Amino acid sequence: MTGSTSQSPKRKLALNVLIVEDEALVAMDLEYMIEEAGHVPVAHADNLESALEAAKDHRPDIALVDIQLGFGESGLQVAEQLKDRGIPVLFSTGNCPGDEGRPFALGCMHKPVVERSLRAALEAVEATMDGAEIPDLPSSVHFY
């Protein structure tokens, strides 16, 4: 009897995603889209302090970070602190930072975020973590 072995596709693991967003409705939309993409929104934070606490408690694989947070806080500061803790960041904002964001994040996703862009961004994050080539991205997502 001759048998053939078939290669099973590489199993994709769900990413644990921290959302750092000060607008509750935007955060809820992101949570829904993250779940629909097969990933897990582990926590929602709206400032630096709550982001660091959530990162400590949940140890996310990636953080989606808005640049302009409430009370004048900057997502750049959040991204810097998360990076120092070994947590990759993808900005999710209306105004992606230029070179000032490059040291702290993998890239940026322009708001308003739509499901197609979020899925593509998370696939690119997975590729980056696996050392693979980043797939083609929609124009609303760019990696540094």
Side-chain angles (χ1 to χ4, degrees), residues 44-72:
H44 166 233
D46 60 2
N47 61 27
L48 176 61
E49 182 181 345
S50 63
L52 296 179
E53 188 68 28
K56 179 180 153 197
D57 292 345
H58 300 284
R59 197 63 187 153
D61 298 310
I62 183 75
L64 299 181
V65 177
D66 187 14
I67 293 292
Q68 290 191 285
L69 299 171
F71 306 108

mmCIF file with all atom_site columns, all heavy atoms in Angstrom, residues 44-72:
data_model
loop_
_atom_site.group_PDB
_atom_site.id
_atom_site.type_symbol
_atom_site.label_atom_id
_atom_site.label_alt_id
_atom_site.label_comp_id
_atom_site.label_asym_id
_atom_site.label_entity_id
_atom_site.label_seq_id
_atom_site.pdbx_PDB_ins_code
_atom_site.Cartn_x
_atom_site.Cartn_y
_atom_site.Cartn_z
_atom_site.occupancy
_atom_site.B_iso_or_equiv
_atom_site.pdbx_formal_charge
_atom_site.auth_seq_id
_atom_site.auth_comp_id
_atom_site.auth_asym_id
_atom_site.auth_atom_id
_atom_site.pdbx_PDB_model_num
ATOM 1   N N   . HIS A 1 44 ? -8.267  46.432 27.790 1.00 0.00 ? 44 HIS A N   1
ATOM 2   C CA  . HIS A 1 44 ? -8.419  47.760 27.208 1.00 0.00 ? 44 HIS A CA  1
ATOM 3   C C   . HIS A 1 44 ? -7.889  48.756 28.237 1.00 0.00 ? 44 HIS A C   1
ATOM 4   O O   . HIS A 1 44 ? -8.261  48.686 29.410 1.00 0.00 ? 44 HIS A O   1
ATOM 5   C CB  . HIS A 1 44 ? -9.895  48.027 26.884 1.00 0.00 ? 44 HIS A CB  1
ATOM 6   C CG  . HIS A 1 44 ? -10.190 49.456 26.610 1.00 0.00 ? 44 HIS A CG  1
ATOM 7   N ND1 . HIS A 1 44 ? -11.176 50.144 27.273 1.00 0.00 ? 44 HIS A ND1 1
ATOM 8   C CD2 . HIS A 1 44 ? -9.629  50.340 25.765 1.00 0.00 ? 44 HIS A CD2 1
ATOM 9   C CE1 . HIS A 1 44 ? -11.208 51.391 26.833 1.00 0.00 ? 44 HIS A CE1 1
ATOM 10  N NE2 . HIS A 1 44 ? -10.270 51.527 25.924 1.00 0.00 ? 44 HIS A NE2 1
ATOM 11  N N   . ALA A 1 45 ? -7.015  49.629 27.789 1.00 0.00 ? 45 ALA A N   1
ATOM 12  C CA  . ALA A 1 45 ? -6.467  50.678 28.647 1.00 0.00 ? 45 ALA A CA  1
ATOM 13  C C   . ALA A 1 45 ? -6.699  52.018 27.972 1.00 0.00 ? 45 ALA A C   1
ATOM 14  O O   . ALA A 1 45 ? -6.830  52.082 26.743 1.00 0.00 ? 45 ALA A O   1
ATOM 15  C CB  . ALA A 1 45 ? -4.972  50.444 28.864 1.00 0.00 ? 45 ALA A CB  1
ATOM 16  N N   . ASP A 1 46 ? -6.732  53.090 28.771 1.00 0.00 ? 46 ASP A N   1
ATOM 17  C CA  . ASP A 1 46 ? -6.977  54.397 28.160 1.00 0.00 ? 46 ASP A CA  1
ATOM 18  C C   . ASP A 1 46 ? -5.926  55.442 28.513 1.00 0.00 ? 46 ASP A C   1
ATOM 19  O O   . ASP A 1 46 ? -6.051  56.607 28.160 1.00 0.00 ? 46 ASP A O   1
ATOM 20  C CB  . ASP A 1 46 ? -8.372  54.900 28.500 1.00 0.00 ? 46 ASP A CB  1
ATOM 21  C CG  . ASP A 1 46 ? -8.600  55.056 29.999 1.00 0.00 ? 46 ASP A CG  1
ATOM 22  O OD1 . ASP A 1 46 ? -7.660  54.820 30.793 1.00 0.00 ? 46 ASP A OD1 1
ATOM 23  O OD2 . ASP A 1 46 ? -9.731  55.409 30.374 1.00 0.00 ? 46 ASP A OD2 1
ATOM 24  N N   . ASN A 1 47 ? -4.875  55.008 29.214 1.00 0.00 ? 47 ASN A N   1
ATOM 25  C CA  . ASN A 1 47 ? -3.783  55.937 29.531 1.00 0.00 ? 47 ASN A CA  1
ATOM 26  C C   . ASN A 1 47 ? -2.523  55.129 29.833 1.00 0.00 ? 47 ASN A C   1
ATOM 27  O O   . ASN A 1 47 ? -2.554  53.895 29.831 1.00 0.00 ? 47 ASN A O   1
ATOM 28  C CB  . ASN A 1 47 ? -4.156  56.857 30.693 1.00 0.00 ? 47 ASN A CB  1
ATOM 29  C CG  . ASN A 1 47 ? -4.451  56.111 31.974 1.00 0.00 ? 47 ASN A CG  1
ATOM 30  O OD1 . ASN A 1 47 ? -3.953  55.011 32.230 1.00 0.00 ? 47 ASN A OD1 1
ATOM 31  N ND2 . ASN A 1 47 ? -5.292  56.705 32.815 1.00 0.00 ? 47 ASN A ND2 1
ATOM 32  N N   . LEU A 1 48 ? -1.442  55.832 30.115 1.00 0.00 ? 48 LEU A N   1
ATOM 33  C CA  . LEU A 1 48 ? -0.162  55.165 30.358 1.00 0.00 ? 48 LEU A CA  1
ATOM 34  C C   . LEU A 1 48 ? -0.235  54.216 31.548 1.00 0.00 ? 48 LEU A C   1
ATOM 35  O O   . LEU A 1 48 ? 0.165   53.057 31.457 1.00 0.00 ? 48 LEU A O   1
ATOM 36  C CB  . LEU A 1 48 ? 0.947   56.205 30.567 1.00 0.00 ? 48 LEU A CB  1
ATOM 37  C CG  . LEU A 1 48 ? 2.326   55.665 30.920 1.00 0.00 ? 48 LEU A CG  1
ATOM 38  C CD1 . LEU A 1 48 ? 2.869   54.769 29.820 1.00 0.00 ? 48 LEU A CD1 1
ATOM 39  C CD2 . LEU A 1 48 ? 3.292   56.811 31.197 1.00 0.00 ? 48 LEU A CD2 1
ATOM 40  N N   . GLU A 1 49 ? -0.752  54.693 32.658 1.00 0.00 ? 49 GLU A N   1
ATOM 41  C CA  . GLU A 1 49 ? -0.799  53.872 33.870 1.00 0.00 ? 49 GLU A CA  1
ATOM 42  C C   . GLU A 1 49 ? -1.609  52.596 33.667 1.00 0.00 ? 49 GLU A C   1
ATOM 43  O O   . GLU A 1 49 ? -1.159  51.495 34.006 1.00 0.00 ? 49 GLU A O   1
ATOM 44  C CB  . GLU A 1 49 ? -1.384  54.683 35.029 1.00 0.00 ? 49 GLU A CB  1
ATOM 45  C CG  . GLU A 1 49 ? -1.412  53.922 36.335 1.00 0.00 ? 49 GLU A CG  1
ATOM 46  C CD  . GLU A 1 49 ? -2.011  54.740 37.476 1.00 0.00 ? 49 GLU A CD  1
ATOM 47  O OE1 . GLU A 1 49 ? -2.156  55.974 37.350 1.00 0.00 ? 49 GLU A OE1 1
ATOM 48  O OE2 . GLU A 1 49 ? -2.336  54.122 38.503 1.00 0.00 ? 49 GLU A OE2 1
ATOM 49  N N   . SER A 1 50 ? -2.797  52.718 33.080 1.00 0.00 ? 50 SER A N   1
ATOM 50  C CA  . SER A 1 50 ? -3.626  51.524 32.889 1.00 0.00 ? 50 SER A CA  1
ATOM 51  C C   . SER A 1 50 ? -3.035  50.598 31.828 1.00 0.00 ? 50 SER A C   1
ATOM 52  O O   . SER A 1 50 ? -3.184  49.380 31.921 1.00 0.00 ? 50 SER A O   1
ATOM 53  C CB  . SER A 1 50 ? -5.074  51.899 32.552 1.00 0.00 ? 50 SER A CB  1
ATOM 54  O OG  . SER A 1 50 ? -5.165  52.605 31.334 1.00 0.00 ? 50 SER A OG  1
ATOM 55  N N   . ALA A 1 51 ? -2.326  51.156 30.854 1.00 0.00 ? 51 ALA A N   1
ATOM 56  C CA  . ALA A 1 51 ? -1.677  50.323 29.836 1.00 0.00 ? 51 ALA A CA  1
ATOM 57  C C   . ALA A 1 51 ? -0.564  49.483 30.451 1.00 0.00 ? 51 ALA A C   1
ATOM 58  O O   . ALA A 1 51 ? -0.437  48.282 30.166 1.00 0.00 ? 51 ALA A O   1
ATOM 59  C CB  . ALA A 1 51 ? -1.122  51.189 28.704 1.00 0.00 ? 51 ALA A CB  1
ATOM 60  N N   . LEU A 1 52 ? 0.234   50.092 31.314 1.00 0.00 ? 52 LEU A N   1
ATOM 61  C CA  . LEU A 1 52 ? 1.329   49.362 31.951 1.00 0.00 ? 52 LEU A CA  1
ATOM 62  C C   . LEU A 1 52 ? 0.791   48.294 32.906 1.00 0.00 ? 52 LEU A C   1
ATOM 63  O O   . LEU A 1 52 ? 1.342   47.191 32.975 1.00 0.00 ? 52 LEU A O   1
ATOM 64  C CB  . LEU A 1 52 ? 2.265   50.327 32.681 1.00 0.00 ? 52 LEU A CB  1
ATOM 65  C CG  . LEU A 1 52 ? 3.008   51.320 31.775 1.00 0.00 ? 52 LEU A CG  1
ATOM 66  C CD1 . LEU A 1 52 ? 3.889   52.244 32.612 1.00 0.00 ? 52 LEU A CD1 1
ATOM 67  C CD2 . LEU A 1 52 ? 3.804   50.606 30.708 1.00 0.00 ? 52 LEU A CD2 1
ATOM 68  N N   . GLU A 1 53 ? -0.273  48.614 33.614 1.00 0.00 ? 53 GLU A N   1
ATOM 69  C CA  . GLU A 1 53 ? -0.890  47.636 34.521 1.00 0.00 ? 53 GLU A CA  1
ATOM 70  C C   . GLU A 1 53 ? -1.464  46.463 33.723 1.00 0.00 ? 53 GLU A C   1
ATOM 71  O O   . GLU A 1 53 ? -1.268  45.296 34.083 1.00 0.00 ? 53 GLU A O   1
ATOM 72  C CB  . GLU A 1 53 ? -1.998  48.311 35.352 1.00 0.00 ? 53 GLU A CB  1
ATOM 73  C CG  . GLU A 1 53 ? -2.556  47.433 36.426 1.00 0.00 ? 53 GLU A CG  1
ATOM 74  C CD  . GLU A 1 53 ? -1.566  47.128 37.539 1.00 0.00 ? 53 GLU A CD  1
ATOM 75  O OE1 . GLU A 1 53 ? -0.659  47.937 37.808 1.00 0.00 ? 53 GLU A OE1 1
ATOM 76  O OE2 . GLU A 1 53 ? -1.710  46.052 38.155 1.00 0.00 ? 53 GLU A OE2 1
ATOM 77  N N   . ALA A 1 54 ? -2.159  46.762 32.616 1.00 0.00 ? 54 ALA A N   1
ATOM 78  C CA  . ALA A 1 54 ? -2.733  45.700 31.777 1.00 0.00 ? 54 ALA A CA  1
ATOM 79  C C   . ALA A 1 54 ? -1.628  44.844 31.159 1.00 0.00 ? 54 ALA A C   1
ATOM 80  O O   . ALA A 1 54 ? -1.762  43.620 31.064 1.00 0.00 ? 54 ALA A O   1
ATOM 81  C CB  . ALA A 1 54 ? -3.607  46.311 30.685 1.00 0.00 ? 54 ALA A CB  1
ATOM 82  N N   . ALA A 1 55 ? -0.539  45.472 30.753 1.00 0.00 ? 55 ALA A N   1
ATOM 83  C CA  . ALA A 1 55 ? 0.581   44.721 30.172 1.00 0.00 ? 55 ALA A CA  1
ATOM 84  C C   . ALA A 1 55 ? 1.188   43.777 31.203 1.00 0.00 ? 55 ALA A C   1
ATOM 85  O O   . ALA A 1 55 ? 1.527   42.632 30.888 1.00 0.00 ? 55 ALA A O   1
ATOM 86  C CB  . ALA A 1 55 ? 1.637   45.688 29.645 1.00 0.00 ? 55 ALA A CB  1
ATOM 87  N N   . LYS A 1 56 ? 1.291   44.247 32.433 1.00 0.00 ? 56 LYS A N   1
ATOM 88  C CA  . LYS A 1 56 ? 1.837   43.415 33.514 1.00 0.00 ? 56 LYS A CA  1
ATOM 89  C C   . LYS A 1 56 ? 0.898   42.242 33.820 1.00 0.00 ? 56 LYS A C   1
ATOM 90  O O   . LYS A 1 56 ? 1.345   41.109 33.980 1.00 0.00 ? 56 LYS A O   1
ATOM 91  C CB  . LYS A 1 56 ? 2.033   44.278 34.762 1.00 0.00 ? 56 LYS A CB  1
ATOM 92  C CG  . LYS A 1 56 ? 2.572   43.547 35.953 1.00 0.00 ? 56 LYS A CG  1
ATOM 93  C CD  . LYS A 1 56 ? 2.723   44.516 37.118 1.00 0.00 ? 56 LYS A CD  1
ATOM 94  C CE  . LYS A 1 56 ? 2.616   43.772 38.416 1.00 0.00 ? 56 LYS A CE  1
ATOM 95  N NZ  . LYS A 1 56 ? 2.348   44.647 39.542 1.00 0.00 ? 56 LYS A NZ  1
ATOM 96  N N   . ASP A 1 57 ? -0.387  42.513 33.876 1.00 0.00 ? 57 ASP A N   1
ATOM 97  C CA  . ASP A 1 57 ? -1.371  41.495 34.243 1.00 0.00 ? 57 ASP A CA  1
ATOM 98  C C   . ASP A 1 57 ? -1.639  40.472 33.138 1.00 0.00 ? 57 ASP A C   1
ATOM 99  O O   . ASP A 1 57 ? -1.916  39.313 33.423 1.00 0.00 ? 57 ASP A O   1
ATOM 100 C CB  . ASP A 1 57 ? -2.706  42.143 34.638 1.00 0.00 ? 57 ASP A CB  1
ATOM 101 C CG  . ASP A 1 57 ? -2.614  42.926 35.934 1.00 0.00 ? 57 ASP A CG  1
ATOM 102 O OD1 . ASP A 1 57 ? -1.620  42.755 36.679 1.00 0.00 ? 57 ASP A OD1 1
ATOM 103 O OD2 . ASP A 1 57 ? -3.533  43.719 36.201 1.00 0.00 ? 57 ASP A OD2 1
ATOM 104 N N   . HIS A 1 58 ? -1.591  40.909 31.870 1.00 0.00 ? 58 HIS A N   1
ATOM 105 C CA  . HIS A 1 58 ? -2.036  40.058 30.758 1.00 0.00 ? 58 HIS A CA  1
ATOM 106 C C   . HIS A 1 58 ? -0.934  39.634 29.794 1.00 0.00 ? 58 HIS A C   1
ATOM 107 O O   . HIS A 1 58 ? -1.157  38.789 28.937 1.00 0.00 ? 58 HIS A O   1
ATOM 108 C CB  . HIS A 1 58 ? -3.152  40.759 29.975 1.00 0.00 ? 58 HIS A CB  1
ATOM 109 C CG  . HIS A 1 58 ? -4.340  41.059 30.817 1.00 0.00 ? 58 HIS A CG  1
ATOM 110 N ND1 . HIS A 1 58 ? -5.246  40.093 31.195 1.00 0.00 ? 58 HIS A ND1 1
ATOM 111 C CD2 . HIS A 1 58 ? -4.768  42.219 31.394 1.00 0.00 ? 58 HIS A CD2 1
ATOM 112 C CE1 . HIS A 1 58 ? -6.190  40.639 31.941 1.00 0.00 ? 58 HIS A CE1 1
ATOM 113 N NE2 . HIS A 1 58 ? -5.923  41.926 32.081 1.00 0.00 ? 58 HIS A NE2 1
ATOM 114 N N   . ARG A 1 59 ? 0.209   40.256 29.867 1.00 0.00 ? 59 ARG A N   1
ATOM 115 C CA  . ARG A 1 59 ? 1.354   39.950 28.994 1.00 0.00 ? 59 ARG A CA  1
ATOM 116 C C   . ARG A 1 59 ? 0.918   39.746 27.534 1.00 0.00 ? 59 ARG A C   1
ATOM 117 O O   . ARG A 1 59 ? 0.991   38.643 26.988 1.00 0.00 ? 59 ARG A O   1
ATOM 118 C CB  . ARG A 1 59 ? 2.096   38.723 29.524 1.00 0.00 ? 59 ARG A CB  1
ATOM 119 C CG  . ARG A 1 59 ? 3.463   38.558 28.966 1.00 0.00 ? 59 ARG A CG  1
ATOM 120 C CD  . ARG A 1 59 ? 4.363   39.714 29.348 1.00 0.00 ? 59 ARG A CD  1
ATOM 121 N NE  . ARG A 1 59 ? 5.631   39.575 28.632 1.00 0.00 ? 59 ARG A NE  1
ATOM 122 C CZ  . ARG A 1 59 ? 6.395   40.579 28.321 1.00 0.00 ? 59 ARG A CZ  1
ATOM 123 N NH1 . ARG A 1 59 ? 6.065   41.790 28.658 1.00 0.00 ? 59 ARG A NH1 1
ATOM 124 N NH2 . ARG A 1 59 ? 7.512   40.396 27.675 1.00 0.00 ? 59 ARG A NH2 1
ATOM 125 N N   . PRO A 1 60 ? 0.444   40.816 26.888 1.00 0.00 ? 60 PRO A N   1
ATOM 126 C CA  . PRO A 1 60 ? -0.035  40.701 25.503 1.00 0.00 ? 60 PRO A CA  1
ATOM 127 C C   . PRO A 1 60 ? 1.100   40.424 24.521 1.00 0.00 ? 60 PRO A C   1
ATOM 128 O O   . PRO A 1 60 ? 2.262   40.724 24.789 1.00 0.00 ? 60 PRO A O   1
ATOM 129 C CB  . PRO A 1 60 ? -0.661  42.066 25.235 1.00 0.00 ? 60 PRO A CB  1
ATOM 130 C CG  . PRO A 1 60 ? 0.071   42.993 26.155 1.00 0.00 ? 60 PRO A CG  1
ATOM 131 C CD  . PRO A 1 60 ? 0.380   42.181 27.386 1.00 0.00 ? 60 PRO A CD  1
ATOM 132 N N   . ASP A 1 61 ? 0.722   39.853 23.375 1.00 0.00 ? 61 ASP A N   1
ATOM 133 C CA  . ASP A 1 61 ? 1.678   39.635 22.288 1.00 0.00 ? 61 ASP A CA  1
ATOM 134 C C   . ASP A 1 61 ? 1.916   40.909 21.496 1.00 0.00 ? 61 ASP A C   1
ATOM 135 O O   . ASP A 1 61 ? 2.974   41.092 20.895 1.00 0.00 ? 61 ASP A O   1
ATOM 136 C CB  . ASP A 1 61 ? 1.152   38.555 21.338 1.00 0.00 ? 61 ASP A CB  1
ATOM 137 C CG  . ASP A 1 61 ? 0.975   37.229 22.028 1.00 0.00 ? 61 ASP A CG  1
ATOM 138 O OD1 . ASP A 1 61 ? 1.915   36.779 22.707 1.00 0.00 ? 61 ASP A OD1 1
ATOM 139 O OD2 . ASP A 1 61 ? -0.122  36.638 21.903 1.00 0.00 ? 61 ASP A OD2 1
ATOM 140 N N   . ILE A 1 62 ? 0.921   41.781 21.472 1.00 0.00 ? 62 ILE A N   1
ATOM 141 C CA  . ILE A 1 62 ? 0.976   43.029 20.702 1.00 0.00 ? 62 ILE A CA  1
ATOM 142 C C   . ILE A 1 62 ? 0.037   44.034 21.368 1.00 0.00 ? 62 ILE A C   1
ATOM 143 O O   . ILE A 1 62 ? -0.960  43.639 21.976 1.00 0.00 ? 62 ILE A O   1
ATOM 144 C CB  . ILE A 1 62 ? 0.576   42.802 19.212 1.00 0.00 ? 62 ILE A CB  1
ATOM 145 C CG1 . ILE A 1 62 ? 0.708   44.075 18.364 1.00 0.00 ? 62 ILE A CG1 1
ATOM 146 C CG2 . ILE A 1 62 ? -0.833  42.240 19.097 1.00 0.00 ? 62 ILE A CG2 1
ATOM 147 C CD1 . ILE A 1 62 ? 2.097   44.451 18.010 1.00 0.00 ? 62 ILE A CD1 1
ATOM 148 N N   . ALA A 1 63 ? 0.367   45.309 21.252 1.00 0.00 ? 63 ALA A N   1
ATOM 149 C CA  . ALA A 1 63 ? -0.512  46.370 21.740 1.00 0.00 ? 63 ALA A CA  1
ATOM 150 C C   . ALA A 1 63 ? -0.868  47.289 20.580 1.00 0.00 ? 63 ALA A C   1
ATOM 151 O O   . ALA A 1 63 ? 0.014   47.697 19.823 1.00 0.00 ? 63 ALA A O   1
ATOM 152 C CB  . ALA A 1 63 ? 0.161   47.161 22.852 1.00 0.00 ? 63 ALA A CB  1
ATOM 153 N N   . LEU A 1 64 ? -2.149  47.583 20.444 1.00 0.00 ? 64 LEU A N   1
ATOM 154 C CA  . LEU A 1 64 ? -2.615  48.594 19.498 1.00 0.00 ? 64 LEU A CA  1
ATOM 155 C C   . LEU A 1 64 ? -2.741  49.880 20.296 1.00 0.00 ? 64 LEU A C   1
ATOM 156 O O   . LEU A 1 64 ? -3.510  49.936 21.259 1.00 0.00 ? 64 LEU A O   1
ATOM 157 C CB  . LEU A 1 64 ? -3.970  48.211 18.902 1.00 0.00 ? 64 LEU A CB  1
ATOM 158 C CG  . LEU A 1 64 ? -4.039  46.919 18.124 1.00 0.00 ? 64 LEU A CG  1
ATOM 159 C CD1 . LEU A 1 64 ? -5.456  46.702 17.593 1.00 0.00 ? 64 LEU A CD1 1
ATOM 160 C CD2 . LEU A 1 64 ? -3.039  46.911 16.984 1.00 0.00 ? 64 LEU A CD2 1
ATOM 161 N N   . VAL A 1 65 ? -1.995  50.906 19.909 1.00 0.00 ? 65 VAL A N   1
ATOM 162 C CA  . VAL A 1 65 ? -1.891  52.114 20.726 1.00 0.00 ? 65 VAL A CA  1
ATOM 163 C C   . VAL A 1 65 ? -2.277  53.347 19.918 1.00 0.00 ? 65 VAL A C   1
ATOM 164 O O   . VAL A 1 65 ? -1.697  53.615 18.857 1.00 0.00 ? 65 VAL A O   1
ATOM 165 C CB  . VAL A 1 65 ? -0.449  52.280 21.275 1.00 0.00 ? 65 VAL A CB  1
ATOM 166 C CG1 . VAL A 1 65 ? -0.312  53.568 22.074 1.00 0.00 ? 65 VAL A CG1 1
ATOM 167 C CG2 . VAL A 1 65 ? -0.051  51.075 22.113 1.00 0.00 ? 65 VAL A CG2 1
ATOM 168 N N   . ASP A 1 66 ? -3.251  54.092 20.445 1.00 0.00 ? 66 ASP A N   1
ATOM 169 C CA  . ASP A 1 66 ? -3.616  55.383 19.870 1.00 0.00 ? 66 ASP A CA  1
ATOM 170 C C   . ASP A 1 66 ? -2.534  56.388 20.247 1.00 0.00 ? 66 ASP A C   1
ATOM 171 O O   . ASP A 1 66 ? -1.914  56.275 21.310 1.00 0.00 ? 66 ASP A O   1
ATOM 172 C CB  . ASP A 1 66 ? -4.973  55.815 20.416 1.00 0.00 ? 66 ASP A CB  1
ATOM 173 C CG  . ASP A 1 66 ? -5.529  57.063 19.744 1.00 0.00 ? 66 ASP A CG  1
ATOM 174 O OD1 . ASP A 1 66 ? -5.022  57.461 18.676 1.00 0.00 ? 66 ASP A OD1 1
ATOM 175 O OD2 . ASP A 1 66 ? -6.487  57.635 20.286 1.00 0.00 ? 66 ASP A OD2 1
ATOM 176 N N   . ILE A 1 67 ? -2.297  57.364 19.397 1.00 0.00 ? 67 ILE A N   1
ATOM 177 C CA  . ILE A 1 67 ? -1.259  58.359 19.672 1.00 0.00 ? 67 ILE A CA  1
ATOM 178 C C   . ILE A 1 67 ? -1.754  59.431 20.637 1.00 0.00 ? 67 ILE A C   1
ATOM 179 O O   . ILE A 1 67 ? -1.063  59.792 21.584 1.00 0.00 ? 67 ILE A O   1
ATOM 180 C CB  . ILE A 1 67 ? -0.760  59.025 18.368 1.00 0.00 ? 67 ILE A CB  1
ATOM 181 C CG1 . ILE A 1 67 ? -0.016  58.015 17.516 1.00 0.00 ? 67 ILE A CG1 1
ATOM 182 C CG2 . ILE A 1 67 ? 0.125   60.231 18.662 1.00 0.00 ? 67 ILE A CG2 1
ATOM 183 C CD1 . ILE A 1 67 ? 1.297   57.556 18.088 1.00 0.00 ? 67 ILE A CD1 1
ATOM 184 N N   . GLN A 1 68 ? -2.952  59.965 20.411 1.00 0.00 ? 68 GLN A N   1
ATOM 185 C CA  . GLN A 1 68 ? -3.462  61.033 21.267 1.00 0.00 ? 68 GLN A CA  1
ATOM 186 C C   . GLN A 1 68 ? -4.448  60.438 22.251 1.00 0.00 ? 68 GLN A C   1
ATOM 187 O O   . GLN A 1 68 ? -5.581  60.111 21.902 1.00 0.00 ? 68 GLN A O   1
ATOM 188 C CB  . GLN A 1 68 ? -4.118  62.122 20.437 1.00 0.00 ? 68 GLN A CB  1
ATOM 189 C CG  . GLN A 1 68 ? -3.102  62.909 19.638 1.00 0.00 ? 68 GLN A CG  1
ATOM 190 C CD  . GLN A 1 68 ? -3.722  64.145 19.041 1.00 0.00 ? 68 GLN A CD  1
ATOM 191 O OE1 . GLN A 1 68 ? -4.454  64.066 18.083 1.00 0.00 ? 68 GLN A OE1 1
ATOM 192 N NE2 . GLN A 1 68 ? -3.393  65.281 19.634 1.00 0.00 ? 68 GLN A NE2 1
ATOM 193 N N   . LEU A 1 69 ? -4.006  60.313 23.476 1.00 0.00 ? 69 LEU A N   1
ATOM 194 C CA  . LEU A 1 69 ? -4.844  59.786 24.537 1.00 0.00 ? 69 LEU A CA  1
ATOM 195 C C   . LEU A 1 69 ? -5.405  60.950 25.356 1.00 0.00 ? 69 LEU A C   1
ATOM 196 O O   . LEU A 1 69 ? -4.947  62.081 25.238 1.00 0.00 ? 69 LEU A O   1
ATOM 197 C CB  . LEU A 1 69 ? -4.025  58.843 25.423 1.00 0.00 ? 69 LEU A CB  1
ATOM 198 C CG  . LEU A 1 69 ? -3.444  57.626 24.702 1.00 0.00 ? 69 LEU A CG  1
ATOM 199 C CD1 . LEU A 1 69 ? -2.479  56.873 25.598 1.00 0.00 ? 69 LEU A CD1 1
ATOM 200 C CD2 . LEU A 1 69 ? -4.566  56.708 24.218 1.00 0.00 ? 69 LEU A CD2 1
ATOM 201 N N   . GLY A 1 70 ? -6.379  60.654 26.174 1.00 0.00 ? 70 GLY A N   1
ATOM 202 C CA  . GLY A 1 70 ? -7.005  61.681 26.993 1.00 0.00 ? 70 GLY A CA  1
ATOM 203 C C   . GLY A 1 70 ? -6.035  62.336 27.958 1.00 0.00 ? 70 GLY A C   1
ATOM 204 O O   . GLY A 1 70 ? -4.973  61.793 28.276 1.00 0.00 ? 70 GLY A O   1
ATOM 205 N N   . PHE A 1 71 ? -6.417  63.506 28.417 1.00 0.00 ? 71 PHE A N   1
ATOM 206 C CA  . PHE A 1 71 ? -5.652  64.267 29.414 1.00 0.00 ? 71 PHE A CA  1
ATOM 207 C C   . PHE A 1 71 ? -4.238  64.598 28.941 1.00 0.00 ? 71 PHE A C   1
ATOM 208 O O   . PHE A 1 71 ? -3.317  64.705 29.744 1.00 0.00 ? 71 PHE A O   1
ATOM 209 C CB  . PHE A 1 71 ? -5.616  63.531 30.762 1.00 0.00 ? 71 PHE A CB  1
ATOM 210 C CG  . PHE A 1 71 ? -6.992  63.187 31.275 1.00 0.00 ? 71 PHE A CG  1
ATOM 211 C CD1 . PHE A 1 71 ? -7.424  61.879 31.273 1.00 0.00 ? 71 PHE A CD1 1
ATOM 212 C CD2 . PHE A 1 71 ? -7.848  64.183 31.708 1.00 0.00 ? 71 PHE A CD2 1
ATOM 213 C CE1 . PHE A 1 71 ? -8.698  61.558 31.714 1.00 0.00 ? 71 PHE A CE1 1
ATOM 214 C CE2 . PHE A 1 71 ? -9.124  63.873 32.154 1.00 0.00 ? 71 PHE A CE2 1
ATOM 215 C CZ  . PHE A 1 71 ? -9.552  62.558 32.160 1.00 0.00 ? 71 PHE A CZ  1
ATOM 216 N N   . GLY A 1 72 ? -4.052  64.705 27.623 1.00 0.00 ? 72 GLY A N   1
ATOM 217 C CA  . GLY A 1 72 ? -2.772  65.124 27.072 1.00 0.00 ? 72 GLY A CA  1
ATOM 218 C C   . GLY A 1 72 ? -1.696  64.065 27.055 1.00 0.00 ? 72 GLY A C   1
ATOM 219 O O   . GLY A 1 72 ? -0.544  64.358 26.727 1.00 0.00 ? 72 GLY A O   1
#
